[in-house]
Amino acid sequence: MMLEKIFLLLTSIIVLTNCQSRELEIRAVCSRQDIGNYIIKWETDPAMKGTVKIYVSDNPETFDRTRLVGVVNISDNITTYITNDNITRQYFLLSFNDRYTRIVSSRRDAMDQISNFRDIGGYTNMHGQMVRWGKIYRSGDLVNLSERDSIRLSRLGIRTILDLRTEEEMAEFPVTYQEANLVSIPVSMGNVEDIMSRLKDGCIRKGDGVLYMQDLYLQYVTDNTSGFSEAFRLLLDEENYPLLITSTFGKDKVGFLAALILSVLQVPEDLIYSDYSLSQEWYADNTRRMQGFARTLTPDAQEALTVMLQTNEAYLDLAFRKIRKEYGSVEKYLLKELNLTEKEITELKEVLLL
């Protein structure tokens, strides 16, 4: 599982101990079963003795220390929080020997009809600061919500939905969730009419699909600066949180914007790429949605469509390499092309980092 790979990369806390010259490193991750139970894992380097006290809350900013739900030996490295509630999202405060703490939750929430729904919080940046949980979520479109999905979004307190789909997509498939402020910032998908025509005519192959995706990500960097600038200004207003960023599949436009956000928050690049790649876990959902259309295509066109429905780190890497080559860093790209100020970038970090 991609989440397990992130577990091996994620550094949650680095502190100096009194009796050891080595730094103590604690890594922790949480996943959720379909029935609602949470699996919490951790590891320490060097190995620690003692206990982990576990507290639960539905708000990552506030934990009641009287809600102790478990005491586990640190050496166990794993525990399960059992619940039959698959509606309410829970966060866990892990207290190692009443000295070192870590807040974790499941990155993914179980949704009935919303694909690719997850939280981009919980990552630790290069300065030991954690991206706040429960601030920014990302997902595919909100077109066919179940009643339980609407309740889940409501319980998460979503105030703002940032929809990156084109105006045509929004008109044909409107958002059905009505309890949040809907902000439309259309981001181009390149020459969609041309690529769809070529798919239908069978005048396309797998390599053409790769070239289309590469061009698309380069266009995110060069041709959509006003839209992404508007998105970042939305992020500067604390009244807009919690916020959900959405598009049709929630993998490309949303993935690029989420990567920019995590990068300016100084999350290590390997974690940014791993987070981006989590969208591949919803590949089966994407293909199911396109099954009817795919059956009408030639085998070559089907291969090209497959390429476009997958999530490939190479596309994000191409965009980031272009940014680094032309601007030096993502932060400088935001300053020059998205017209953010250094003060605004500092303010964004204050809002999203713990």
Side-chain angles (χ1 to χ4, degrees):
M1 289 286 292
M2 186 63 66
L3 285 173
E4 296 299 325
K5 293 181 181 179
I6 290 181
F7 171 57
L8 295 175
L9 292 168
L10 182 60
T11 301
S12 60
I13 306 173
I14 300 177
V15 293
L16 289 175
T17 63
N18 293 327
C19 59
Q20 294 175 315
S21 60
R22 289 182 59 189
E23 291 181 334
L24 171 64
E25 186 177 325
I26 301 176
R27 306 184 188 94
V29 71
C30 175
S31 59
R32 195 174 187 183
Q33 298 172 327
D34 290 340
I35 60 175
N37 295 336
Y38 293 83
I39 310 298
I40 305 168
K41 299 179 182 180
W42 61 87
E43 62 180 28
T44 69
D45 185 20
M48 288 178 66
K49 294 182 179 180
T51 59
V52 182
K53 291 180 180 177
I54 302 170
Y55 304 88
V56 64
S57 175
D58 56 10
N59 182 345
E61 305 288 333
T62 305
F63 284 87
D64 181 353
R65 293 299 182 103
T66 65
R67 292 189 67 186
L68 180 65
V69 295
V71 180
V72 185
N73 288 328
I74 295 175
S75 58
D76 287 350
N77 297 120
I78 187 171
T79 190
T80 301
Y81 176 75
I82 298 175
T83 174
N84 59 5
D85 181 359
N86 68 352
I87 297 293
T88 306
R89 177 182 174 84
Q90 301 290 355
Y91 301 87
F92 302 91
L93 174 68
L94 311 183
S95 178
F96 294 81
N97 291 333
D98 292 323
R99 187 173 181 184
Y100 314 117
T101 60
R102 177 72 173 115
I103 298 172
V104 297
S105 185
S106 172
R107 187 159 305 285
R108 298 184 300 174
D109 274 322
M111 294 288 180
D112 298 329
Q113 301 295 331
I114 308 175
S115 68
N116 210 350
F117 188 96
R118 61 187 194 268
D119 192 332
I120 72 168
Y123 293 115
T124 301
N125 73 6
M126 290 180 284
H127 303 290
Q129 298 169 292
M130 188 182 75
V131 180
R132 292 181 185 272
W133 286 107
K135 285 288 190 179
I136 301 178
Y137 298 91
R138 52 176 292 183
S139 76
D141 61 40
L142 308 178
V143 175
N144 296 306
L145 302 188
S146 69
E147 182 178 354
R148 291 192 302 180
D149 286 342
S150 294
I151 294 173
R152 290 175 178 125
L153 292 180
S154 180
R155 295 255 181 111
L156 291 173
I158 301 294
R159 291 186 183 180
T160 307
I161 295 171
L162 170 54
D163 196 329
L164 302 181
R165 295 178 301 160
T166 63
E167 293 177 357
E168 292 77 13
E169 288 176 297
M170 290 192 66
E172 186 173 1
F173 303 104
V175 171
T176 56
Y177 186 70
Q178 303 295 322
E179 296 183 30
N181 179 35
L182 178 62
V183 178
S184 171
I185 302 180
V187 173
S188 171
M189 280 297 291
N191 195 339
V192 177
E193 291 183 3
D194 176 67
I195 200 72
M196 291 300 290
S197 175
R198 294 173 66 190
L199 283 168
K200 292 174 183 177
D201 294 341
C203 302
I204 190 171
R205 294 189 176 184
K206 181 178 179 180
D208 299 313
V210 172
L211 288 174
Y212 171 76
M213 295 303 296
Q214 290 175 339
D215 288 342
L216 183 64
Y217 275 74
L218 292 176
Q219 288 172 29
Y220 289 158
V221 177
T222 59
D223 299 349
N224 292 277
T225 53
S226 61
F228 288 126
S229 175
E230 187 178 350
F232 269 94
R233 297 194 183 283
L234 198 70
L235 298 175
L236 286 167
D237 187 349
E238 291 193 67
E239 294 299 315
N240 291 324
Y241 293 97
L243 180 144
L244 171 60
I245 308 171
T246 180
S247 66
T248 300
F249 295 117
K251 70 182 187 72
D252 297 311
K253 304 174 187 182
V254 175
F256 179 71
L257 178 55
L260 289 182
I261 295 168
L262 292 175
S263 183
V264 79
L265 297 178
Q266 299 180 294
V267 171
E269 196 166 270
D270 52 3
L271 290 178
I272 294 173
Y273 280 46
S274 295
D275 180 84
Y276 168 83
S277 295
L278 286 175
S279 292
Q280 182 63 17
E281 295 185 14
W282 282 268
Y283 168 70
D285 289 343
N286 298 343
T287 54
R288 275 194 294 271
R289 290 180 60 172
M290 301 296 290
Q291 273 182 348
F293 176 64
R295 291 193 191 100
T296 68
L297 304 179
T298 66
D300 283 344
Q302 288 179 356
E303 284 192 347
L305 179 62
T306 296
V307 165
M308 290 184 279
L309 292 176
Q310 290 178 333
T311 301
N312 190 331
E313 283 186 19
Y315 305 142
L316 179 63
D317 186 59
L318 181 66
F320 268 39
R321 282 192 284 116
K322 182 176 181 63
I323 289 173
R324 286 193 296 267
K325 180 180 178 181
E326 297 190 8
Y327 303 95
S329 69
V330 169
E331 186 163 322
K332 290 179 180 177
Y333 170 72
L334 265 63
L335 291 170
K336 184 171 182 179
E337 291 298 333
L338 303 194
N339 298 315
L340 269 70
T341 66
E342 291 184 359
K343 180 182 178 182
E344 287 173 329
I345 289 177
T346 298
E347 289 173 354
L348 184 65
K349 292 176 180 178
E350 290 174 353
V351 170
L352 292 176
L353 291 175
L354 190 62

